[in-house]
Amino acid sequence: MTLDQLDDDVVALAREYSRTPHVEVYRRAKELLGIAQAMLERTQVPRQRERGYLAAGRSAAILSAVCFDLGSLPAAVSLARTAALYGQVIEYGPLQAYAHGALAFLAFWSGRPTESLRLVRTAQQFGGLGDTAMTRLFVIEARAHGHLGDQAAAERAVRCALDQGAGRRDELHDGIGGEFGFPADRVAMSNATTHLLLNDADGAEDAATQALHLLSAKPEDQRPLLISTQASADLGRARLLRGDLDGVQDALGPVFEVPTDWRGAGTLERMAAVRAGLTHSDFRGAQEAADLGERIEAFTEASSASRLGGLAPLAVEG
């Protein structure tokens, strides 16, 4: 396989990520990483090695993302560190920023929001970053502040994420996009989660609704199922905070229809949060809440991540 073909395959996988089942992404990304590493062992030509490191770093980054979606946080962390290292070797800021952003995301997922802030601030200092890269990093920063319960800092980071419009671009986040991109619908979905961490039901509902509206404007074959599913789940969580059980069931309708191969860790965590919320004393004795809770348990049990056996018990955000 030539370096040109390897580059093309990595780019295609990044762009097809949201429309490809997680297990298939894992298989292909692992294969591409192996090919890139084998190429690095066979050449000492500086330009070829630079391209090999870049392909290996991108492949490791994609593999890290899908390992998270499949519920394996240790593998996701290890591969994000690998991507960061490859980016450091070739002094490529966008890859280092993406990888450090992933590590920041994984840090608050592992219960270390202060470490998450340290990592995201390191990521923001790398050179050559476009508006998309900075938007993504501010969104991650907002989530970390949300985990710490710092409403003012979280809201400030959300505003910074929405204010990135200087027209700066980089080849990874903007040129390739796909899993490396961070469009407005993904920003809104993640901001909804931040509002939920702050127990802001209205802000969460507005952001989740905005995400779903933006997604609905896209052609059906271009709507990322992962983002729409998580936005729907967060909409359900927001309505649960307001005690609107009928609204919760309506919001979760599309989530329950998601095939098992697409039920990643982010979706399962959100559904676990709904399940926990249904045990609140306000819903005690409500048959509707009991039935919905049982349905969520069955949804989680049938997920591909659970069947793979790599999913640790889900920590409920908030």
Side-chain angles (χ1 to χ4, degrees):
M1 182 181 288
T2 66
L3 276 168
D4 286 343
Q5 184 64 56
L6 177 59
D7 287 342
D8 289 347
D9 288 347
V10 173
V11 169
L13 184 58
R15 291 175 176 170
E16 295 166 3
Y17 187 102
S18 65
R19 298 185 296 276
T20 307
H22 300 319
V23 174
E24 177 63 14
V25 173
Y26 176 86
R27 184 192 67 77
R28 289 166 61 185
K30 185 176 181 181
E31 179 183 18
L32 292 172
L33 177 58
I35 291 170
Q37 291 172 330
M39 284 186 169
L40 285 168
E41 293 176 357
R42 292 199 303 267
T43 182
Q44 295 301 317
V45 178
R47 178 54 182 159
Q48 290 181 350
R49 289 187 64 80
E50 182 178 351
R51 290 182 64 188
Y53 277 121
L54 184 55
R58 290 170 175 170
S59 300
I62 295 171
L63 200 51
S64 172
V66 78
C67 281
F68 168 77
D69 283 329
L70 287 170
S72 181
L73 265 66
V77 169
S78 177
L79 286 156
R81 288 173 177 162
T82 298
L85 178 60
Y86 285 141
Q88 180 182 5
V89 169
I90 57 176
E91 298 182 333
Y92 186 53
L95 179 57
Q96 293 181 82
Y98 179 88
H100 278 76
L103 289 169
F105 175 85
L106 293 165
F108 66 61
W109 247 84
S110 302
R112 295 178 289 112
T114 302
E115 173 71 1
S116 177
L117 286 177
R118 185 189 69 79
L119 286 162
V120 81
R121 285 167 180 161
T122 297
Q124 290 165 344
Q125 301 307 309
F126 289 111
L129 304 186
D131 292 346
T132 299
M134 293 304 296
T135 295
R136 172 177 177 267
L137 294 174
F138 278 121
V139 163
I140 294 170
E141 179 184 341
R143 289 273 286 277
H145 286 304
H147 278 278
L148 289 167
D150 189 337
Q151 182 170 352
E155 291 177 349
R156 184 168 59 249
V158 166
R159 288 194 299 271
C160 287
L162 297 175
D163 286 345
Q164 299 302 305
R168 297 167 300 183
R169 294 174 58 84
D170 68 62
E171 191 229 348
L172 184 72
H173 298 85
D174 301 289
I176 295 177
E179 178 55 23
F180 297 122
F182 218 83
D185 50 77
R186 193 169 181 179
V187 173
M189 179 276 293
S190 191
N191 286 343
T193 307
T194 297
H195 286 296
L196 285 167
L197 290 167
L198 299 170
N199 291 314
D200 177 7
D202 291 339
E205 183 162 10
D206 288 346
T209 300
Q210 181 189 16
L212 292 169
H213 174 73
L214 290 168
L215 288 164
S216 69
K218 293 184 175 181
E220 188 170 355
D221 63 350
Q222 295 179 24
R223 296 173 196 166
L225 184 59
L226 187 64
I227 304 305
S228 63
T229 302
Q230 294 181 358
S232 294
D234 277 349
L235 181 58
R237 293 168 67 189
R239 290 173 176 174
L240 187 65
L241 282 178
R242 293 195 284 98
D244 180 7
L245 280 180
D246 288 338
V248 175
Q249 294 205 74
D250 183 61
L252 295 185
V255 181
F256 287 122
E257 295 176 4
V258 173
T260 55
D261 287 345
W262 289 94
R263 299 175 189 178
T267 297
L268 296 180
E269 181 273 338
R270 286 165 169 81
M271 295 297 275
V274 177
R275 181 68 186 95
L278 290 168
T279 64
H280 192 277
S281 58
D282 289 349
F283 307 117
R284 190 164 297 146
Q287 188 60 46
E288 186 179 6
D291 292 344
L292 184 57
E294 290 183 11
R295 193 175 180 190
I296 291 172
E297 290 181 16
F299 173 91
T300 302
E301 180 65 25
S303 72
S304 57
S306 293
R307 290 205 311 273
L308 285 170
L311 193 62
L314 295 170
V316 176
E317 290 188 338

